[in-house]
Amino acid sequence: MEVLVPLAVPLDKTNFDTSFWRIQSYSCVDSTNRIIKDALAQGSGEGLCAVALKQSGGYGRQGRLWESPLGGLYTSFALTPSYHGVSFDKLPLVSLVMSIALRRALSKWCDASKLAIKWPNDLVINGKKICGILTEMSTEIDYINYVVIGIGINTNIEQFPEELKQTATSLRIEAGHSIRRSPLIAAIM
């Protein structure tokens, strides 16, 4: 794992709570979700966030391959819902709430009227996927140990492989210019 210089995330408390989030930045990992789950297994609590510029083993629902080339933004973070009084029956809302937050964040860089949530875990622009969300959790019979939310955003990808050209797009393509990652991460958090 090659560690990057920490991302320059604004420390303005009005848009980013630095007392809660602990960000670890990488140039390439196999999976940001795995990084977070490993850290949780070693005793790390919620608020840990892993950010990578590339994933070599990114995956989505049902273990499907998630193309994670350089130019995207891949991040995962840990939450402990039981600690905050969130019950099992509310867990299905986690992905939906994340989708709404991502739509709001991404609309700062692209036309919000063309940005839609494709249930249960994608965001699309004009029918083309721009973002995927993967929610994984560890539970006991009556307790939620943690929820890991993974997000893959096609950020500064300029071209897609032939097999993805009709189904994928990026913020750069939609906005017509490159996107700085730090403000994007701050907008998501």
Side-chain angles (χ1 to χ4, degrees):
M1 238 180 287
E2 183 181 343
V3 179
L4 288 177
V5 174
L7 297 173
V9 177
L11 299 180
D12 178 354
K13 294 274 186 180
T14 62
N15 65 13
F16 195 75
D17 185 356
T18 57
S19 65
F20 181 76
W21 296 109
R22 297 175 324 278
I23 299 175
Q24 296 178 348
S25 305
Y26 305 90
S27 59
C28 182
V29 296
D30 62 342
S31 162
T32 55
N33 269 31
R34 188 201 53 77
I35 295 284
I36 296 298
K37 289 190 290 186
D38 287 353
L40 288 165
Q42 295 173 13
S44 180
E46 73 177 350
L48 182 61
C49 177
V51 178
L53 304 180
K54 181 179 178 180
Q55 293 183 119
S56 59
Y59 58 93
R61 284 184 353 154
Q62 301 173 347
R64 293 184 186 120
L65 175 68
W66 170 265
E67 293 288 335
S68 308
L70 195 60
L73 179 64
Y74 313 102
T75 185
S76 299
F77 54 92
L79 299 174
T80 52
S82 290
Y83 179 78
H84 300 288
V86 176
S87 59
F88 278 99
D89 62 324
K90 302 290 189 256
L91 281 178
L93 298 176
V94 171
S95 287
L96 180 60
V97 169
M98 192 70 240
S99 295
I100 293 167
L102 279 166
R103 184 182 182 279
R104 182 177 295 157
L106 296 182
S107 68
K108 295 177 181 183
W109 287 272
C110 59
D111 185 349
S113 68
K114 297 178 181 180
L115 188 58
I117 296 169
K118 181 180 171 190
W119 183 256
N121 63 334
D122 294 334
L123 268 72
V124 295
I125 295 179
N126 295 321
K128 292 184 174 185
K129 188 170 182 173
I130 194 163
C131 177
I133 303 164
L134 176 64
T135 305
E136 298 181 294
M137 66 187 84
S138 168
T139 63
E140 305 295 331
I141 291 174
D142 61 347
Y143 190 79
I144 305 162
N145 295 318
Y146 63 78
V147 174
V148 174
I149 300 173
I151 303 163
I153 304 172
N154 298 333
T155 310
N156 286 313
I157 300 170
E158 297 182 65
Q159 293 184 6
F160 289 90
E162 197 60 42
E163 65 271 13
L164 296 177
K165 284 184 179 179
Q166 300 303 311
T167 59
T169 189
S170 72
L171 281 176
R172 182 182 185 127
I173 291 169
E174 298 301 322
H177 58 81
S178 65
I179 307 298
R180 291 185 53 235
R181 288 180 295 271
S182 297
L184 179 57
I185 292 168
I188 293 167
M189 301 305 210

